[in-house]
């Protein structure tokens, strides 16, 4: 993070990785442990930062001299407001999230990559039912506001939090309920009062939205419970959309398997390089060690910027929120989350 631009507004020039410096226009304290950052996107760069409700941007920041990349969903609605807003909640292990909560100030610059993501409104007239836990409300808030503003669909939201003080966008949700009446139903679940969310509670909420398109975002246990409840309620899997904020950590290299993969061949920009494989490295890390400038952005398996096709051998993905089942079946992987699993592997970037 750097300090403000000069008085004359500069058009952000993206670097070689696609990140542009955007000014923080305003900081809004949503709760004691969550802030919204309104980012100033100059008119000349608006097209590049156009987004669909539910998408995210990737921030590249330096904390204590170390580069970190994190994805944050837009909590703003492209149908309702012109400003781009992200909402960041403090987290026990959230190095960047906590740093942003502690230090972000109006006038700061955040190096930001253009919006990405597939957690967006489906092209359908079906009702929308959403399940959000904690900061999982961020993309869901964008989705429900957009659906209410641009369609005649009914919208239901089941929102779980620890207690009343941790509810993000509480007043805004109340205003939406008042403005849209029967079109918008919101149920607040507070663990402090009602215990952890139980499947039967979610199934009861789903009954009024049996033919809906469903969206889930929040902590992993909450998402698993909501997904199981939707399955039990008969909502078909293609109508269930998931957005995960956390990814699996890379396992420690197994000494017994260290020799399984010996070399990796990478094709990128008409260059082909074959290098020895270093146990534990992802395919993206392997490409970088080979001196290749492989495309990447979020590095969490969410955006798909680093996708490539495994044409020989095999690899397994630690996390994949970018590719659909058909793409995976054709050998496509997100290289930032992929570990090779055969003696030799060939990877071809588009």
């Amino acid at each position: 993070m750097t300090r403000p631009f000069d008085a004359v507004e500069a058009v952000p020039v993206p670097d070689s990785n696609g990140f542009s410096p955007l000014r923080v226009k305003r900081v809004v304290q949503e709760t004691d442990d969550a802030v919204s950052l309104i980012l100033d996107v100059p008119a000349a760069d608006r097209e590049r930062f156009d987004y669909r409700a539910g998408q995210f941007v990737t921030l590249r920041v330096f904390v204590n001299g170390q580069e970190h990349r994190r994805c944050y969903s837009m909590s703003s609605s492209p149908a309702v407001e012109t400003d781009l807003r992200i909402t960041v909640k403090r987290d026990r292990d959230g190095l960047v999230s906590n740093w942003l909560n502690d230090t972000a100030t109006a006038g700061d610059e955040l190096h930001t990559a253009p919006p990405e993501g597939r957690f967006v409104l489906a092209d359908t007239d079906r009702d929308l039912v959403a399940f959000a836990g904690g900061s999982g409300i961020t993309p869901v808030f964008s989705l429900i506001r957009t659906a209410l503003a641009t369609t005649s669909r009914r919208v239901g939201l089941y929102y779980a939090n620890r207690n009343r003080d941790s509810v993000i966008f509480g007043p805004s949700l109340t205003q939406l309920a008042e403005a849209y009446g029967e079109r918008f139903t919101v149920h607040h679940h507070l663990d402090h009062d009602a215990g952890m969310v139980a499947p039967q509670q979610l199934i009861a909420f789903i009954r009024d939205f049996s033919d809906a398109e469903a969206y889930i975002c929040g902590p992993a246990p909450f998402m698993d419970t909501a997904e199981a409840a939707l399955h039990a309620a008969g909502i078909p899997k293609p109508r269930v959309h998931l957005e995960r904020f956390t990814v699996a950590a890379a396992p420690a290299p197994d000494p017994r398997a260290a020799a399984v993969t010996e070399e990796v061949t990478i094709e990128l920009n008409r260059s082909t390089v074959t290098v020895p494989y270093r146990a534990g490295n992802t395919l993206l890390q392997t490409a970088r060690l080979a001196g290749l400038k492989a495309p990447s952005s979020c590095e969490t398996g969410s955006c798909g910027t680093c996708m490539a096709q495994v044409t020989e051998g095999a690899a397994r993905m630690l996390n994949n929120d970018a590719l659909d089942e058909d793409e995976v079946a054709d050998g496509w992987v997100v290289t930032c989350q992929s570990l090779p699993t055969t003696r030799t592997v060939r990877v071809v970037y588009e």
Side-chain angles (χ1 to χ4, degrees):
M1 185 182 291
T2 57
R3 288 294 125 184
F5 285 114
D6 295 333
V8 177
E9 183 179 36
V11 176
V13 177
D15 63 17
S16 58
N17 289 313
F19 288 85
S20 295
L22 300 185
R23 277 187 293 183
V24 177
K25 189 175 180 179
R26 190 157 51 96
V27 178
V28 179
Q29 192 75 45
E30 302 288 356
T31 66
D32 288 343
D33 59 359
V35 296
S36 285
L37 307 179
I38 290 82
L39 303 182
D40 187 12
V41 180
D45 217 23
R46 287 275 167 80
E47 184 176 349
R48 192 164 170 267
F49 280 88
D50 279 347
Y51 67 97
R52 297 175 65 184
Q55 289 191 307
F56 62 86
V57 291
T58 302
L59 302 186
R60 186 184 64 188
V61 303
F62 290 85
V63 181
N64 298 325
Q66 295 294 315
E67 178 182 328
H68 301 274
R69 299 185 184 192
R70 296 292 187 274
C71 301
Y72 294 104
S73 298
M74 266 72 72
S75 53
S76 49
S77 164
V80 177
E81 57 214 319
T82 56
D83 286 331
L84 190 156
R85 179 183 65 194
I86 61 174
T87 301
V88 182
K89 184 176 181 180
R90 188 181 295 278
D91 183 79
R92 183 183 62 183
D93 301 317
L95 174 67
V96 175
S97 296
N98 295 346
W99 181 76
L100 288 170
N101 269 267
D102 291 336
T103 67
T105 305
D108 289 342
E109 289 178 5
L110 291 175
H111 289 260
T112 311
E116 298 176 280
R118 301 187 180 189
F119 190 67
V120 296
L121 292 174
D123 185 15
T124 177
D125 293 329
R126 292 191 187 93
D127 292 340
L128 185 157
V129 62
F131 300 88
S135 61
I137 190 64
T138 305
V140 168
F141 190 54
S142 179
L143 290 169
I144 62 178
R145 291 177 71 209
T146 302
L148 289 170
T150 63
T151 74
S152 58
R153 301 162 67 181
R154 289 192 313 134
V155 176
L157 169 64
Y158 192 104
Y159 186 19
N161 282 282
R162 294 190 308 273
N163 52 48
R164 195 168 302 280
D165 291 339
S166 61
V167 177
I168 304 173
F169 309 133
S172 296
L173 290 169
T174 298
Q175 291 172 9
L176 285 177
E178 293 172 349
Y180 287 96
E182 294 183 357
R183 278 192 59 208
F184 179 51
T185 301
V186 57
H187 174 81
H188 289 281
H189 176 99
L190 303 178
D191 295 345
H192 182 270
D193 298 334
M196 300 296 289
V197 174
Q200 59 268 27
Q201 294 169 316
L202 300 181
I203 292 173
F205 187 78
I206 296 168
R207 289 195 186 108
D208 289 335
F209 296 91
S210 58
D211 191 38
E213 204 80 15
Y215 294 81
I216 310 173
C217 187
F222 172 81
M223 292 187 65
D224 292 343
T225 300
E227 189 176 10
L230 287 164
H231 176 73
I235 304 295
K237 186 175 180 180
R239 299 213 314 257
V240 178
H241 309 273
L242 308 174
E243 179 82 329
R244 301 188 187 278
F245 282 168
T246 57
V247 298
D254 184 344
R256 295 168 299 177
V260 168
T261 301
E262 298 176 2
E263 64 180 27
V264 176
T265 299
I266 303 167
E267 296 183 26
L268 172 64
N269 295 336
R270 300 181 182 178
S271 296
T272 301
V273 178
T274 299
V275 294
Y277 175 66
R278 184 181 299 177
N281 280 353
T282 64
L283 292 176
L284 177 60
Q285 291 169 327
T286 302
R288 287 173 174 166
L289 289 172
L292 298 174
K293 195 167 186 178
S296 65
S297 180
C298 72
E299 301 196 13
T300 64
S302 300
C303 69
T305 302
C306 68
M307 65 185 289
Q309 190 173 29
V310 175
T311 59
E312 296 178 16
R316 68 183 179 94
M317 288 185 281
L318 302 172
N319 185 69
N320 168 37
D321 290 322
L323 307 178
D324 59 32
E325 293 179 358
D326 289 341
E327 290 170 322
V328 174
D330 287 339
W332 292 94
V333 298
V334 281
T335 58
C336 69
Q337 293 291 312
S338 297
L339 299 174
T341 57
T342 53
R343 188 180 69 81
T344 61
V345 175
R346 177 177 288 268
V347 183
V348 179
Y349 284 89
E350 288 184 310

